[in-house]
Amino acid sequence: EPEVTQTPSHQVTQMGQEVILRCVPISNHLYFYWYRQILGQKVEFLVSFYNNEISEKSEIFDDQFSVERPDGSNFTLKIRSTKLEDSAMYFCASRSRGSDEQYFGPGTRLTVT
Amino acid sequence: KNQVEQSPQSLIILEGKNCTLQCNYTVSPFSNLRWYKQDTGRGPVSLTIMTFSENTKSNGRYTATLDADTKQSSLHITASQLSDSASYICVVRADSWGKFQFGAGTQVVVTP
């Protein structure tokens, strides 16, 4: 069964460094999402992406964040200058046209020290 | 403000027993409500999706109910198994293609 994959599974970085989190959505899906979950807290929406542009973003998704679909398969989330409070699980999700069902990846645990 | 509140926060049950989790929401307008199961360190996996007109939906031993008038939903787990130990998250979509509003989840622990 097709699934969303994410790499790396765990990323440790120093405060102020740039990180790129990678996602490979399900191959025929056209809508892509990033969510984050700070330890012990609820899942929070970050951004949705369709047709090579951001369709919606939350207040969390400030100028430090950016998303890109550099090729036909990858979908990336970049944090330019990480802060301690960026430490969280980051989930990628995708869905196909005409379906409301989002499929989540296993997540990347980001630890900022 | 759109809110999704879940109760209880956590729950411990014996293997084989039933349990019911609650979700109250104030999200408006309402499009659909879904229940997700999230294993520790993993992404959420969809269990059920219900629209305004649906009152109940089952997926194996999981049965979700929805009362759109009172804005309440429940998830009933029948004959619990050890593998049911997970966080169960209620998620409400405000309009047809709007973003999801997540509840904080109920942590269920099934003990032998």
Side-chain angles (χ1 to χ4, degrees), chain B residues 46-82:
Chain B
S46 180
L47 295 175
T48 63
I49 303 174
M50 286 184 293
T51 60
F52 183 88
S53 60
E54 295 176 294
N55 299 120
T56 186
K57 184 165 280 190
S58 292
N59 177 1
R61 294 178 297 101
Y62 301 104
T63 299
T65 65
L66 173 65
D67 185 336
D69 291 331
T70 61
K71 298 188 176 182
Q72 295 180 325
S73 176
S74 67
L75 180 70
H76 187 75
I77 305 175
T78 303
S80 60
Q81 300 176 358
L82 297 178

Side-chain angles (χ1 to χ4, degrees), chain A residues 33 35 37 42-43 45 56 89 91 95 98-102 104-106 109, chain B residues 4 32 34 36 38 41-44 46 49 93 96-97 99-100 102-104:
Chain A
Y33 306 84
Y35 295 86
Q37 186 176 30
K42 65 175 70 174
V43 176
F45 167 79
E56 191 170 10
M89 263 312 251
F91 295 105
R95 70 172 175 89
S99 169
D100 197 33
E101 185 65 75
Q102 291 188 19
F104 285 78
R109 179 168 298 284
Chain B
V4 180
N32 58 57
R34 57 196 74 200
Y36 280 92
Q38 185 180 21
R42 307 292 296 176
S46 180
I49 303 174
R93 169 164 270 170
S96 294
W97 301 107
K99 59 179 181 277
F100 292 176
F102 284 77

Side-chain angles (χ1 to χ4, degrees), chain A:
Chain A
E1 185 175 335
E3 57 183 19
V4 177
T5 59
Q6 291 185 241
T7 56
S9 57
H10 190 190
Q11 173 91 47
V12 181
T13 189
Q14 286 190 324
M15 193 168 56
Q17 295 297 304
E18 174 184 287
V19 294
I20 297 176
L21 310 183
R22 290 184 167 79
C23 168
V24 178
I26 294 172
S27 63
N28 65 340
H29 285 188
L30 301 175
Y31 298 83
F32 313 115
Y33 306 84
W34 282 102
Y35 295 86
R36 80 170 185 191
Q37 186 176 30
I38 295 170
L39 186 64
Q41 298 186 24
K42 65 175 70 174
V43 176
E44 299 172 291
F45 167 79
L46 290 178
V47 65
S48 58
F49 190 87
Y50 169 71
N51 199 25
N52 283 321
E53 61 184 30
I54 291 173
S55 43
E56 191 170 10
K57 61 182 180 179
S58 72
E59 57 275 7
I60 302 168
F61 193 88
D62 60 22
D63 292 342
Q64 293 297 314
F65 291 88
S66 62
V67 289
E68 192 178 28
R69 189 155 162 82
D71 53 43
S73 59
N74 289 285
F75 179 51
T76 63
L77 174 69
K78 182 193 290 187
I79 309 175
R80 287 188 184 80
S81 178
T82 50
K83 303 186 285 284
L84 294 176
E85 53 265 38
D86 292 328
S87 294
M89 263 312 251
Y90 287 81
F91 295 105
C92 170
S94 69
R95 70 172 175 89
S96 61
R97 189 196 304 275
S99 169
D100 197 33
E101 185 65 75
Q102 291 188 19
Y103 293 85
F104 285 78
T108 291
R109 179 168 298 284
L110 176 66
T111 302
V112 182
T113 62

Side-chain angles (χ1 to χ4, degrees), chain B:
Chain B
K1 185 179 177 182
N2 290 329
Q3 295 273 11
V4 180
E5 301 291 337
Q6 291 187 244
S7 61
Q9 210 169 27
S10 61
L11 185 60
I12 300 174
I13 58 171
L14 288 176
E15 187 178 11
K17 298 295 185 183
N18 305 334
C19 68
T20 300
L21 316 179
Q22 300 291 341
C23 174
N24 296 336
Y25 62 93
T26 59
V27 176
S28 181
F30 171 81
S31 176
N32 58 57
L33 183 147
R34 57 196 74 200
W35 284 91
Y36 280 92
K37 179 186 180 188
Q38 185 180 21
D39 292 311
T40 301
R42 307 292 296 176
V45 174
S46 180
L47 295 175
T48 63
I49 303 174
M50 286 184 293
T51 60
F52 183 88
S53 60
E54 295 176 294
N55 299 120
T56 186
K57 184 165 280 190
S58 292
N59 177 1
R61 294 178 297 101
Y62 301 104
T63 299
T65 65
L66 173 65
D67 185 336
D69 291 331
T70 61
K71 298 188 176 182
Q72 295 180 325
S73 176
S74 67
L75 180 70
H76 187 75
I77 305 175
T78 303
S80 60
Q81 300 176 358
L82 297 178
S83 60
D84 292 332
S85 295
S87 179
Y88 292 83
I89 305 172
C90 176
V91 183
V92 181
R93 169 164 270 170
D95 52 51
S96 294
W97 301 107
K99 59 179 181 277
F100 292 176
Q101 300 286 345
F102 284 77
T106 292
Q107 186 68 43
V108 173
V109 175
V110 181
T111 62

